[in-house]
Amino acid sequence: MKKINAKNVNVSYGSKQALFDINIDIEQNEVTALIGPSGCGKSTFLRCLNRMNDVIDICKVTGEIFINDFNILDKKCDVVRLREKIGMVFQKPNPFPKTIYENIAYGPTIHGMTQSKEEMDEVVELSLKKAALWNEVKDRLHEVGTGLSGGQQQRLCIARAISVSPEVILMDEPCSALDPIATAQIEELIDELKNEHTIIIVTHSMAQAARVSQNTGFFHLGNLIEFGSTDKIFKNPENQKTQDYITGRFG
Amino acid sequence: MNSNSPHTVKSYEEELKNLNNNIVKMGVLCEEALRKSIITLVTNNSEQAHEIINNDQEIDKYENLIEQQVVNLIALRQPLAIDLRETVTALKISSDLERIGDLAKNIAKRSLLISGNLSKNLVGILNALSENVQKQLKSVIDSYLERSSSIALNVWESDEKIDDLTNQCMQETINFLKEDQNNLKNGTHLLFVAKNLERMGDHTTNVAEQVYFLVKGEYLEGDRPKHSEIGK
């Protein structure tokens, strides 16, 4: 089932156009990987999906992006509510300089999702369990989140993102600062999380895109060059540019 | 889709080229073994038979080398798309070529056991069959070299000629066996020689399927065209 449907999305930063007529369908409960060289527009597109580009004054986004058949680029869209539904995890783990517990509790608190301490405790525990971090931190919930290892911090950020039960999780190179073990843990997590969430991941690692995603989109110079099932893209892409990029022939 | 631009990493480009060259060299050795094995058979040249038997080691060495290269490429380069298909098909092609080499060696060994002159008819049909297999093998190596799916498809579709000729050859050998009880030894070996040539044709079509997949990224589907069956 289609979860996100982007139609003719154009983005420019001032006079520089960053995305050209992007049309893409993202399937629900699947992982979609966006790949392409630096500056190709993949992160710009990702940031359109939770209106992150709104904070950049010179950024102009046109077109339509339907999530659950609602155009999120519409002026009527409540961006705070949108970001409750669309969580995000960034390249560098960025826990708040607060306790592990407070990191998770922050989202549910500002969105008024819990009524009591017990309910909040439950949300925190469940989120940490879903992020495969509970066993490692259950005895130190009131220590600062920034004291955790890099991989643990990133899983804390994922736990924080899922604490408000988002429908979609956006990940912008979530493993680029992690070692292979922590990367494998995040990849395993992505595989688990897709059962309840729709995941879109931007990655520079071809191998990671191939390992975690069901669909892959290749961006180049602001255009979506090819979009298709991950096995097709990595075994037999249709576009020469896609092939040149994934086989390391660019340049 | 052509892949003309070279890899950014030159050593990777070299490794793939090297793999490609080894497949071609192995293919040429197999062509030579096949060609010589039939000449050996009809001329009773035992010296050449031993040469073919010994040279088979060279073909086996190529198979091992290609296997090592493929394992290294997978482990160290994680090839994708066309590179992945290059790597995987090289492994499969080398295995079919190795079998072709073995079958040629087997013909050479049998040539040492065949005594006396063979009838003109038999030699004629054996030559026709082996020439056809040689032609197919040469074409399939060309299709690999030129990355031509149309040549590969043509090889795949032409295998039935070999099947027809094999049946004719077997029939001729059976007639030869019927003629005289003393023909039993030679005739039995010749039946195996015909079967070996037919198997070489099959391995050649396997290679054609791999070349087609390499170029197109799709598998050749369905059964090969076949209208004749053994015994008919």
Side-chain angles (χ1 to χ4, degrees), chain A residues 206-207 210 226 232-244 246-251, chain B residues 1-9 12-13 16 78 80-85 215-218:
Chain A
M206 298 304 137
E226 189 167 350
K232 172 96 172 83
I233 297 278
F234 287 104
K235 283 194 307 203
N236 187 21
E238 276 176 16
N239 191 289
Q240 181 75 50
K241 279 187 191 148
T242 314
Q243 173 143 297
D244 285 351
I246 64 171
T247 56
R249 287 180 162 92
F250 246 40
Chain B
M1 190 161 51
N2 295 315
S3 237
N4 298 327
S5 53
H7 284 91
T8 309
V9 180
Y12 184 16
E13 185 76 14
L16 282 170
Q78 290 103 42
L80 291 171
I82 182 67
D83 302 337
L84 175 66
R85 303 204 300 273
V215 180
K216 293 275 210 183
E218 293 162 8

